[in-house]
Amino acid sequence: MNNKGKPAFQLSTMAFAVLTCLSVNAEEQTKNDKDIERVEVLGSNIKRAQVADTLPITVMNSDDIAATGAATGEELLRSIPQIGEMAFNNERAIGGVNDARGDVSSINLRGLGTGNTLTLLNGRRLVLHPGTQTENFVPVSTVNANTLPVSGLKRVEVLRDGAAAIYGSDAVAGVVNYVLKDDYEGSGISVNHGSSEGTALSQTSLSGATGLAFNEDKTHLTLSLSLYDRKGMPASDRDYSASQDRREYSTLPEEYIGDTQLDNRSTSTPWGEFSTSSLKTFHIQPNTMSGCVVELGDGLCADKGSLSRDMRYDSANEQSMTSDVQRANFYGYLNHELDDDLTLFSEAIYYQAETRRLREQSGNLTAQRFTISPDAYYNPFGEMVTVRRYRPIDSGQRNIQVKDTSFRLLTGLSGYYQDWDWESAVLYSEAKTHDKARNRVDANAFFAAVNSTEAATAYNIFNGGDPSNLNSGDATANLQSVIDQFSVTIDRESKTSLALADFKVSNAALFDLIDGEVGMASGAEFRRETYADNRDPLLNGSQPFIDTNTGNVLSGSSVLGSSETPDSDGSRNVFSAYVELVAPLLSDRMLAKSLEIQLAARYENFSDVGSVTKPKVALSWMPSDWLQVRAAYAEGFRAPNLPQVVEQGISRSNTRYDPVTDSSYGITEIRGGNKNLKPEDDTNTSFGLVLMPFNDLTITADWWQIEQDGVVGILNSQTHLMYDSLLRSQGSSNPDVIRGEDNEVIHVNNQYNNLNPREIEGVDFSVFYDLKTEFGNFDFKLNAARLIRFEQEPDAITAEVIAAQEAGNPAVPESVVITGAGDLMKQNGRPEWRAYASLRFKRDQWSLGTTANYVSDFYDTSTTTSEGEPLPIDSFTTINAYADYRFEQSGWFSDTRIRLGVRNINDKKPPIADESFGYFSSVHSNRGRYYYLDFSKSF
């Protein structure tokens, strides 16, 4: 890589100019025969009449897509084994308003991490979703897989190989290309309805498409509209999510039964935890419980110390697990022949979605601990009281509404000049998210109500919860008029945009070699990317939370339970140029039916992080008609995303174990973007075999390896605490861990940095068999992915902490697992095996099919035994089936198909895990047995 830019630019410009001159001076050949269709496939920009499978590509056509029974883009991607965990998903409930939420699903090939997969639509980039969330504690961005309707897809292509030299940055793990239907003839409608057995969840979609030719067949227009409505699922609908206390869950391994790590009920409750100079730490409880030191009346008393475990708050009854969603997708494609050699084409896409969900009311963060003056109306103690933990659940649940919109406009020209295909297009795409959280608590207004000296405006924070149900509800609610004083609606608006212009040329027969024709493609692209994130004034630091009793600024956020996040915005310009050659080295020779080489190079210049030139070479050798050997070496490049560069002063609070105080509590971490971040480099190597022993049977096996250097990350705050404990045992301390007088952590300072190398290795397998018999046609497909290695070299601090643990140093307990470094295989959503198989049968108008999806076991490192062994997560297999009938007779039912399907026939529950809803939503599904009926008709 060359960050200075000039030498790389000179090299790429020279290569580009030389190859362009070659194209201009090549011997003129006869004009292209229009009867020979030149096609462009994923993995190459050269349009050819015949394309060898030089690279490993998975293609799902419309029949394959329908067989999955998927109703959303997220469900479809889960049927592709090479797609890793989907960190952006509807059931994620970790980061609140500071997270991407709503109708969003991420794309993550190889499980390498969100942002390492380039996603295209009809061969060109898609705009990134405006929302971000953290992976390995750094903000990541994704294309939203739900913006495109499943019913409108012609096919999905997955290039399982590094492709930065062909398509540009982000193609570290590969490329996903969505191809929409652009040649629809006639009209059609489709209605699909399904429901999840035993739950409130149901899904209904209505889609229609029409295609017409006019202007003497020179113009073709395709229009598609899809509407989708989902009724969500409350957490109480599933036994694994109905309580945050999973210590006694039936499928837990015996050694974890009763383990308090699986009790995720909150210490922030309506009973409250407080402190005064005389009582020290105390809490409120019913006076029927032992330990009362101060009688408060109304059946309540104060007891010294923190709340007992039996009084923790269980939020499950107040949470939506799956949101309600209403979505609309529109797509239009226009193709107009200006003359025999020139075509105008245009795309228009619009997407809109609205999601709604409920969440429990928030409690105060550690950084939001405030005081109550002695003269406050409801203060019975006659002295200053500090509020350590309190959750005002009598103010009701949070009501969250997220509106997502995006559009894409593209127009271009394509044509032929002699033997050259050329194409140029411009596009502009924009995505917006408006996150609205109703019934949040304004911390400053709440402070004023708690400290009020007037009965009409005072909030009683000492009146406890529900004595008959200590873990949920509040039987002693304050007046609604008092609650209205501090109830607010919080807004977050985010926006991304992509403007792009490109020009590319292709010649399948640039010149002849002894064994065939050399193909070439070259092109240039300019794009501009923007990002803006505007938070509510109560969130972005402009209205901080101030304790007026002490004059202390407690938090930059005046939203109770949410950390401060300043507004941020950024933009970058990117120029790139590429060249690609495909040449036959041998043809019909001894030991070589064919031997072909692909050479490519791409130059990219980023306005903020420098420039780079990356090469790729791929070989395809067919020693016979039934055997192909393929191999590739590619170098890649991924620039830090804009939030990683521009965000500053990001506060996040997470529960962490503090070895110094030997306790777990909410700890604030202040993270910062880094303008000195360097781009990540990678190398991608693959080797594969394709066997075709007889007609209609293809077997493939592809080994791959990815090495990344300078991966953008951050030192885990848990590691910071462990390092601080280690240094304190040696007489010093970690300067990034800031502690108060009671030795509890005030906050941890952290910054995004380029970490040490990472290596990932795996193997893909596939079997395709199409058998035609007199009885009917059978189609079998198997796609499997095995992860062999996933290793992150630890940074110096992490390595020191791990070494101290291995040496038995009591300052860094071995039971605390240091995550994010070392061998990450089978950890937290990285199973060794994933597989998807389908068997379809067709006879006359009948069609039957069954599919199976398998995910092998892995470990949950958030829960460990005393010896440090992580919680095992069992393998997960779901089996689906469908049957359909297509009417062919004349009349209303002509060209009508009715399909009945069942997903997860065995009603398999996701394996229990120490996660938000009791399972890994990024890997497994909560749908259970799901029935659906699909009706479609063509006109």
Side-chain angles (χ1 to χ4, degrees), residues 221-232:
L221 177 65
T222 297
L223 298 174
S224 174
L225 176 65
S226 179
L227 304 176
Y228 171 81
D229 181 82
R230 182 177 71 203
K231 307 302 181 186

Side-chain angles (χ1 to χ4, degrees), residues 876-901:
F876 188 57
T877 303
T878 56
I879 300 172
N880 318 310
Y882 71 86
D884 68 41
Y885 182 80
R886 184 180 297 275
F887 296 86
E888 293 184 350
Q889 72 268 26
S890 61
W892 196 90
F893 277 98
S894 177
D895 293 324
T896 298
R897 189 200 69 188
I898 297 177
R899 172 173 291 187
L900 176 64

